[in-house]
Amino acid sequence: MKRFLTACLLCLGLIGAANAATDAELTKQVNAFVDGWHDDAANTRMAYFDKIAKDGVYIGTDRSELWTRDEFKAWSKKYFDAKSAWTFKATRRNVYASADKSLIWFDELLDTKNMGHAMASGVIRKTAKGFEIVHYQLSVAVPNEVVDQVTGIIAEHEKKAKK
């Protein structure tokens, strides 16, 4: 009986999350926020970093790229100063949320100027002041048919770097 009740509660929680995920107004707001965030980078507006929570984390494509917001801002400064940051255009985004809509997560497919196709996922916290990005992870989209070639190149690169 205890397992049955636990399963029922889990299902209700998932239904609540699924309902929040299909909330058209929330999805519209999240899309506008994340698209605006990407646009801030494309136009080298420092407001880009204000949209990342103070305790936020940004994970880039290189295995060394695990930054707090302030570390990421310091690393990115040279690109923003040169007016040449990155351009990400979402071609698809899925938005999900907790039942109370205070925690939102998303995944997105991106077209980028310098990496081609990429993928990302993020977590957004809804606060009294609006949205803030708590976690963002970017990855290069590698077709399965060429993943062996790509991992081979990476292995060769790492082997040379150790020398």
Side-chain angles (χ1 to χ4, degrees):
M1 183 65 167
K2 192 175 183 180
R3 286 184 182 163
F4 175 74
L5 288 175
T6 302
C8 287
L9 288 173
L10 180 61
C11 286
L12 288 174
L14 290 174
I15 289 168
N19 287 340
T22 59
D23 182 324
E25 184 57 31
L26 179 64
T27 298
K28 183 178 173 182
Q29 291 170 1
V30 168
N31 283 337
F33 175 76
V34 178
D35 287 344
W37 184 58
H38 289 322
D39 192 61
D40 286 342
N43 290 287
T44 60
R45 292 187 294 259
M46 294 306 286
Y48 177 84
F49 299 100
D50 297 335
K51 291 177 179 159
I52 302 172
K54 287 183 181 181
D55 61 342
V57 173
Y58 189 102
I59 302 173
T61 57
D62 187 279
R63 68 188 289 177
S64 68
E65 297 176 336
L66 172 58
W67 294 296
T68 64
R69 182 201 59 189
D70 293 342
E71 290 168 339
F72 184 49
K73 184 176 181 179
W75 177 86
S76 302
K77 186 179 181 333
K78 62 185 172 225
Y79 299 102
F80 278 74
D81 287 350
K83 302 292 181 200
S84 178
W86 44 93
T87 301
F88 295 170
K89 175 75 175 144
T91 59
R92 187 199 79 210
R93 183 177 297 124
N94 297 305
V95 177
Y96 312 92
S98 60
D100 68 355
K101 300 177 188 173
S102 65
L103 195 60
I104 300 142
W105 57 100
F106 65 93
D107 57 78
E108 59 185 359
L109 293 179
L110 302 165
D111 279 339
T112 74
K113 279 188 177 179
N114 62 333
M115 295 183 300
H117 299 295
M119 300 172 72
S121 61
V123 178
I124 297 172
R125 182 169 44 216
K126 191 172 184 181
T127 71
K129 294 181 181 180
F131 295 125
E132 60 184 8
I133 296 168
V134 179
H135 183 100
Y136 189 77
Q137 182 163 3
L138 176 65
S139 62
V140 177
V142 178
N144 288 331
E145 297 78 19
V146 298
V147 77
D148 289 342
Q149 295 168 341
V150 173
T151 56
I153 292 168
I154 293 168
E156 250 336 280
H157 172 76
E158 289 176 350
K159 197 182 297 181
K160 287 178 184 174
K162 287 182 180 178
K163 291 181 180 180

